[in-house]
Amino acid sequence: MALVSVVVFGALLRPAPGTAETWTAASPVESAAWPREGQTSVLVEGLGGTGDLGSKGVQKPVPIASVTKVMTAYVVLRDHPLRSGEAGPDITVDREAANESFSGTESSVPVREGQRLSERQVLELVLIPSGNNIARMLARWDAGSQEAFVEKMNRAARDLGMRHTTYTGASGLEETTVSTSGDQLKLARQVMRDAAFRAVVAKTSTTVPGVSGIIRNTNTLLGTAGVIGLKTGSSTPAGGALMWAATAPDGNGNDRLVLGVVLHQQAGTSPWQGLQAALDNSRTLIEAVREWLSTVTSGTR
């Protein structure tokens, strides 16, 4: 998953990485709508500089948990593109992924050795229920080993200008995988240009043959406030994290794509508490952005 003069109600002064942000008295979106902790970055596509709503919070690298899987999917789809509706090549579940199916310490999806799944199905298991074992399996399938895949992830980050990002695994389990909201927003813009990726992250649930039951998306904002994606993350070191995408009409009735990243919400608490904070705070911010965007009319097209 592009970007004119408009009525401007103020702007955020963007901070240098590692410094606190500065706000003008009349930002386009009231500061009260932004999360009070962690870091957040937001962009409205199609509005040029006015659509860059800036960042709030110190832009220093922090653990991002399963938001990592967005880069995993990006690299795989770059190496193995899928056309609209295409299932892609089959991937055979290896012993390692099967053995990791029932972990009590991380998010996993139950699969059996030798099971064959399409690339699209595997991407769904990575991005919808956030299966760590499946993300690592996908990395091995793509690059031969998770270590080789991580090198690809870091090269891709550098190519996208993500200067404050380091990946150390394909799943996000490692707290040494760190980034900033501004860096992850760059990735969000890029990956949402891929139709296959957009189709997967927009699903509130899915079913995969051989995987029991209905698989629910961890992003419970889907289908509310125009939300059409993207990816959750949570752990005690990372707190709650959410990369989100939503559509919203501007004052002329044109639908705009709004992208945001919220990181480090209630870090140090339980993963559930952190994730709930990320979801709740993102919902408040998305609704405020949508309200502001509805007033933007002059010069848009």
Side-chain angles (χ1 to χ4, degrees):
M1 350 216 174
L3 289 177
V4 280
S5 80
V6 297
V7 175
V8 179
F9 299 97
L12 301 178
L13 300 179
R14 304 193 68 179
T19 64
E21 78 286 352
T22 303
W23 291 75
T24 63
S27 348
V29 177
E30 291 185 5
S31 62
W34 292 65
R36 290 177 291 179
E37 61 182 319
Q39 51 186 281
T40 306
S41 299
V42 180
L43 176 78
V44 182
E45 294 275 25
L47 295 183
T50 301
D52 183 355
L53 301 186
S55 296
K56 186 176 189 295
V58 178
Q59 290 288 295
K60 66 178 181 180
V62 295
I64 61 172
S66 286
V67 171
T68 299
K69 294 181 177 80
V70 176
M71 179 59 86
T72 299
Y74 171 69
V75 171
V76 168
L77 284 167
R78 183 197 61 187
D79 293 350
H80 309 275
L82 293 177
R83 293 188 294 271
S84 178
E86 183 181 25
D90 280 350
I91 299 171
T92 302
V93 174
D94 59 19
R95 179 172 300 177
E96 193 169 351
N99 288 344
E100 294 170 347
S101 285
F102 299 97
S103 171
T105 59
E106 61 175 320
S107 172
S108 62
V109 174
V111 289
R112 66 181 186 278
E113 184 179 358
Q115 183 177 356
R116 295 180 68 80
L117 302 168
S118 71
E119 178 186 346
R120 186 180 290 267
Q121 289 171 329
V122 172
L123 286 168
E124 289 182 1
L125 294 179
V126 169
L127 295 169
I128 294 176
S130 201
N132 286 356
N133 59 326
I134 307 301
R136 293 188 290 264
M137 181 187 78
L138 192 56
R140 293 190 294 272
W141 173 74
D142 177 88
S145 70
Q146 184 178 208
E147 293 73 21
F149 188 81
V150 167
E151 292 181 7
K152 287 188 174 187
M153 295 173 77
N154 285 310
R155 284 198 300 271
R158 290 193 296 271
D159 290 345
L160 292 175
M162 299 166 65
R163 298 185 296 113
H164 308 289
T165 298
T166 302
Y167 292 101
T168 59
S171 70
L173 177 66
E174 303 83 0
E175 62 182 278
T176 48
T177 289
V178 296
S179 187
T180 64
S181 61
D183 270 11
Q184 289 299 305
L185 189 60
K186 294 176 182 178
L187 175 59
R189 294 187 70 190
Q190 187 68 29
V191 78
M192 283 297 283
R193 295 169 183 159
D194 188 292
F197 181 89
R198 292 197 307 272
V200 170
V201 297
K203 288 190 167 194
T204 57
S205 65
T206 189
T207 57
V208 173
V211 179
S212 178
I214 297 174
I215 301 163
R216 305 288 182 185
N217 200 315
T218 55
N219 181 7
T220 56
L221 295 188
L222 282 169
T224 68
V227 175
I228 58 172
L230 258 154
K231 185 71 190 76
T232 62
S234 63
S235 69
T236 296
L242 182 66
M243 179 188 288
W244 51 262
T247 57
D250 63 20
N252 291 334
N254 301 312
D255 273 343
R256 303 289 184 182
L257 177 64
V258 187
L259 300 171
V261 179
V262 174
L263 300 179
H264 223 47
Q265 303 298 293
Q266 293 194 18
T269 65
S270 72
W272 183 90
Q273 286 176 292
L275 179 56
Q276 196 59 49
L279 290 165
D280 290 345
N281 292 338
S282 293
R283 184 196 301 273
T284 298
L285 180 56
I286 292 166
E287 289 173 348
V289 173
R290 286 168 61 86
E291 182 177 355
W292 166 74
L293 187 57
S294 70
T295 69
V296 177
T297 58
S298 177
T300 58
R301 61 179 186 272

